[in-house]
Amino acid sequence: MSTPFPFTAVVGQDDLRLALLLNAVSPAVGGVLVRGEKGTAKSTAVRALSALVPEVDVVSGCRFSCDPASPDPACPDGPHEAGASGARPARMVELPVGASEDRLVGALDIERALAEGVKAFEPGLLADAHRGILYVDEVNLLHDHLVDLLLDAAAMGASYVEREGVSVRHAARFLLVGTMNPEEGELRPQLLDRFGLTVEVAASREPDQRVEVVRRRLAYDDDPAGFAARWADEEAAVRARIVAARELLPSVRLGDGALRQIAATCAAFEVDGMRADIVMARTATALAAWAGRTDVLAEDVRQAALLALPHRRRRNPFDAPGLDEDKLDETLEEFGGPDGDDGGDDDPGPGPGGGPGGQPEPDDAPRGDGDAAARPEAGEGGEPRPSGGAGEQSPARAAEPFRTKVLSVPGLGDGAAGRRSRARTEHGRTTGARRPEGALTKLHLAATVRAAAPHQRARGRSGPGLVVRRDDLRQATREGREGNLVLFVVDASGSMAARQRMGAVKGAVLSLLLDAYQRRDKVGLVTFRGSAAEVALPPTSSVDAAAVRLESLPTGGRTPLAAGLLRAHEVLRVERLRDPARRALVVVVTDGRATGGPEPVALASRAARLFAADEVASVVVDCESGPVRLGLAGRIAGELGGTAVTLDELRADSIAGLVKDVQGSRRAA
């Protein structure tokens, strides 16, 4: 077994270390979501935590880690006899993003169930993680069906496996820790709320801190065991402090003054539900125990708010997580009472300027990955943003987003799980059965029984079980929904530049982006104006990034529609090589008045026919307005093989009809 990187050797990252340690002191806090760019020691710190968590007592031989003091009466391995117990280290179980449902919740041995009539259950990762840590790296990329299972287990503290007439239930209470890079997409709100705390991490921009990070990493890579031995004393001190804080935790008093501050803070920041209040109370109590105090102070409430509220105050997917600290301080001061007075000089535990175990960091030591420096104004992949030019206008503010009609890709796909277009999936409604190709993943029980039944006499069946052979097994075919690549091609030319009009256009695109977020799509953004087109955002799962690029989109100049379509066609060609199973939906937002280059309308028509030849699903949002309308956007839609809709028709509450199949016009032709 490899030697993990020592927790106390992680450079800085005070908030991250504190949040993890508070959960080690009080697992009831509810876990941690770690958000940050790649290469910021997120996974390293989480994996290092497992070495500090105290051992757990378990019933000997129990695959579900029952506590000998109070064994689960419904444990599949029970009932348990008294006295058969032992201690083992707390487990940290990693859930891979691509794990199957059976790997997560466990699997029934269908062949034994059919042939022998017995319930043979193989526990999954949820059983392994019971009374330990369940770690999900890149949790924002987890498939929806696995997210649903996690939500159920986290809410009920148990995992239920029910299929093919067999039911198994076992306890599944675990500390949920997830890491994610926001650039790759956000989490579903339901799962986001299940994380007790959240922290933002970023790489330090201080050279001295970065030097220390590299120095420690190289030393660990050269000699992991020797490096860990040099930090053994610090690790032991933190481990002892966790044990002491756990013992002190039941004695910590959460006074009425602190409770008033917690309730007032949650109300002031308009968080949904009551989970935030409960998490803040548990976090503040854990902070006091970590500091060796039996009273919760105002500083504990403030720190608890900074850790528990940022991810709960997002009103829509494009709101950046965060907290107005001035407003927080005003609220705490307004509702501070005798029980909530600060008034103490007690050590609040690790925080800015203090390392784990209360050991201060040296002045010249790196204290973390610091604040993110401002990024240059450049597009993804290093492409520069368009520079100012003649006739360019400042960006218009997007109008209020609205609920849009459903746009979907026709036919039946095989892409990644999502919520937009019909697809063959591992999860969904069963539509038929087939012989398995490779390993059997989803048994179609009725079809299997029908295949095996005619051969029972020839196979000499004599017992109660059905004699089943490999050739009898049938794989269930299922139909669900997939996520698509929604590529926006947005006209930012002078003809679109009227401020009120461009605001409405941006509001429409923002509405479609919200819809793409909810349907788990990838999105990309191509813009065209002046004399050329550019990829403002290559295909990504981060709908937030697309919204940011859209908000800052300037307008002005001619309308190189052909260039925009050709650039979009090239983006799709490259993306098909990277992800051939994901089907595309192209949304062209323009008034159709091509003016860039020689014969602009003819060039735009030829470029549009490339999409029709590749059978790419497309829709044109016609932004033409005014008393004189040329209908050029409709002509482009015809060349694309798609359909055209106006901004009003795009609204879900519009009385104008909008076909769901955006290629319906092609079939009608």
Side-chain angles (χ1 to χ4, degrees):
M1 183 177 178
S2 60
T3 303
F5 192 91
F7 186 85
T8 50
V10 174
V11 177
Q13 301 290 27
D14 295 326
D15 287 343
L16 169 58
R17 293 189 295 174
L18 178 59
L20 292 172
L21 289 168
L22 292 177
N23 276 274
V25 170
S26 176
V29 166
V32 187
L33 175 64
V34 187
R35 298 165 46 94
E37 58 196 17
K38 53 187 174 292
T40 49
K42 301 187 297 293
S43 299
T44 298
V46 174
R47 292 188 176 103
L49 176 69
S50 60
L52 300 178
V53 177
E55 290 186 338
V56 293
D57 293 328
V58 297
V59 174
S60 299
C62 178
R63 298 174 298 166
F64 302 88
S65 303
C66 278
D67 185 349
S70 56
D72 182 3
C75 176
D77 284 354
H80 298 298
E81 297 180 2
S85 64
R88 63 160 174 78
R91 291 175 181 156
M92 192 192 74
V93 178
E94 293 196 39
L95 171 60
V97 169
S100 66
E101 179 180 338
D102 288 345
R103 184 72 188 97
L104 178 62
V105 300
L108 295 169
D109 191 332
I110 300 299
E111 293 187 51
R112 286 192 63 192
L114 289 173
E116 304 173 26
V118 299
K119 297 180 181 180
F121 179 71
E122 185 65 29
L125 296 177
L126 289 180
D128 291 341
H130 179 48
R131 303 178 64 206
I133 302 170
L134 182 63
Y135 171 48
V136 189
D137 193 13
E138 306 294 352
V139 64
N140 51 325
L141 304 183
L142 202 62
H143 287 305
D144 278 355
H145 68 282
L146 296 182
V147 170
D148 293 337
L149 293 170
L150 276 181
L151 288 172
D152 290 343
M156 297 183 292
S159 175
Y160 292 85
V161 183
E162 299 192 27
R163 65 184 65 156
E164 285 79 40
V166 181
S167 177
V168 176
R169 174 231 172 255
H170 64 83
R173 291 182 295 275
F174 47 81
L175 175 61
L176 182 61
V177 180
T179 56
M180 61 174 283
N181 183 349
E183 294 178 355
E184 296 173 336
E186 283 292 347
L187 275 177
R188 284 171 53 181
Q190 296 94 329
L191 183 57
L192 191 66
D193 190 51
R194 283 293 172 186
F195 286 97
L197 310 179
T198 185
V199 291
E200 296 276 342
V201 296
S204 172
R205 300 303 189 250
E206 292 293 330
D208 290 342
Q209 296 180 5
R210 298 176 74 97
V211 165
E212 185 62 22
V213 171
V214 175
R215 181 181 291 122
R216 294 187 187 183
R217 185 70 210 190
L218 293 178
Y220 170 77
D221 290 341
D222 289 342
D223 182 10
F227 183 81
R230 291 196 292 274
W231 290 87
D233 291 342
E234 287 82 352
E235 294 281 287
V238 174
R239 193 178 298 110
R241 187 172 177 183
I242 291 174
V243 172
R246 281 191 172 189
E247 294 174 351
L248 182 63
L249 188 63
S251 303
V252 175
R253 188 180 72 92
L254 183 65
D256 289 343
L259 276 174
R260 280 197 302 271
Q261 288 182 317
I262 290 171
T265 300
C266 292
F269 286 98
E270 299 180 347
V271 296
D272 295 328
M274 296 297 297
R275 183 172 286 118
D277 303 62
I278 296 170
V279 171
M280 271 191 67
R282 290 171 174 166
T283 304
T285 304
L287 280 162
W290 178 248
R293 290 185 267 100
T294 56
D295 287 308
V296 173
L297 305 181
E299 64 192 51
D300 300 322
V301 176
R302 186 182 192 279
Q303 183 65 59
L306 293 175
L307 293 173
L309 296 187
H311 61 302
R312 291 188 165 89
R313 61 167 300 275
R314 288 165 60 95
R315 309 313 298 174
N316 67 61
F318 304 142
D319 287 341
L323 218 59
D324 184 339
E325 295 194 31
D326 290 337
K327 181 178 179 180
L328 173 61
D329 291 335
E330 291 173 3
T331 303
L332 293 176
E333 183 176 354
E334 179 181 355
F335 288 90
D339 292 327
D341 287 342
D342 194 351
D345 296 323
D346 299 281
D347 176 19
Q359 299 180 3
E361 298 274 3
D363 291 340
D364 58 346
R367 294 172 30 140
D369 291 342
D371 296 327
R375 298 181 182 274
E377 286 295 319
E380 292 283 331
E383 295 190 30
R385 289 198 182 281
S387 58
E392 180 177 301
Q393 300 187 21
S394 59
R397 178 177 292 276
E400 192 69 22
F402 52 85
R403 189 166 63 90
T404 67
K405 297 274 184 149
V406 178
L407 303 175
S408 62
V409 178
L412 199 61
D414 293 285
R419 297 179 183 147
R420 183 171 297 278
S421 305
R422 294 173 56 226
R424 289 176 288 268
T425 61
E426 288 293 320
H427 305 274
R429 64 185 182 91
T430 301
T431 57
R434 59 176 173 82
R435 290 182 182 273
E437 299 174 1
L440 178 71
T441 55
K442 295 292 180 182
L443 180 79
H444 194 296
L445 183 59
T448 299
V449 171
R450 285 196 300 268
H455 308 291
Q456 296 306 296
R457 180 175 297 178
R459 293 173 183 174
R461 173 186 170 186
S462 59
L466 194 67
V467 180
V468 179
R469 294 180 179 172
R470 173 69 186 176
D471 290 344
D472 301 327
L473 299 179
R474 294 295 183 268
Q475 174 84 24
T477 57
R478 301 191 177 193
E479 182 178 311
R481 292 281 169 176
E482 67 176 0
N484 298 117
L485 166 60
V486 182
L487 182 61
F488 294 93
V489 186
V490 180
D491 185 346
S493 63
S495 63
M496 300 277 289
R499 187 162 300 278
Q500 185 174 0
R501 184 179 176 195
M502 195 60 194
V505 169
K506 285 188 176 183
V509 178
L510 188 64
S511 303
L512 290 167
L513 283 172
L514 280 166
D515 183 66
Y517 168 81
Q518 294 163 353
R519 298 184 189 280
R520 311 293 285 178
D521 294 316
K522 290 180 71 173
V523 297
L525 179 62
V526 173
T527 64
F528 57 94
R529 64 187 178 89
S531 60
E534 69 155 353
V535 181
L537 185 71
T540 175
S541 297
S542 178
V543 180
D544 289 24
V548 171
R549 301 294 169 87
L550 176 71
E551 191 68 31
S552 60
L553 178 67
T555 55
R558 291 182 175 273
T559 311
L561 178 56
L565 294 174
L566 289 174
R567 179 57 70 93
H569 189 267
E570 176 63 16
V571 169
L572 292 183
R573 184 190 69 81
V574 174
E575 193 63 20
R576 274 195 295 268
L577 297 175
R578 294 174 176 169
D579 191 358
R582 188 181 291 269
R583 298 185 295 165
L585 171 64
V586 176
V587 179
V588 182
V589 185
T590 183
D591 58 9
R593 301 188 179 190
T595 58
E599 300 184 352
V601 177
L603 283 174
S605 296
R606 287 200 290 271
R609 286 195 287 272
L610 293 175
F611 292 86
D614 291 341
E615 297 185 343
V616 177
S618 58
V619 61
V620 176
V621 180
D622 185 357
C623 302
E624 192 174 28
S625 62
V628 179
R629 304 194 181 192
L630 304 179
L632 295 175
R635 288 175 53 185
I636 292 297
E639 299 287 1
L640 286 166
T643 189
V645 298
T646 65
L647 291 175
D648 288 337
E649 290 171 338
L650 195 60
R651 293 179 176 271
D653 55 0
S654 169
I655 59 173
L658 177 63
V659 292
K660 290 186 178 181
D661 184 348
V662 296
Q663 285 187 313
S665 59
R666 177 190 301 161
R667 290 203 301 269

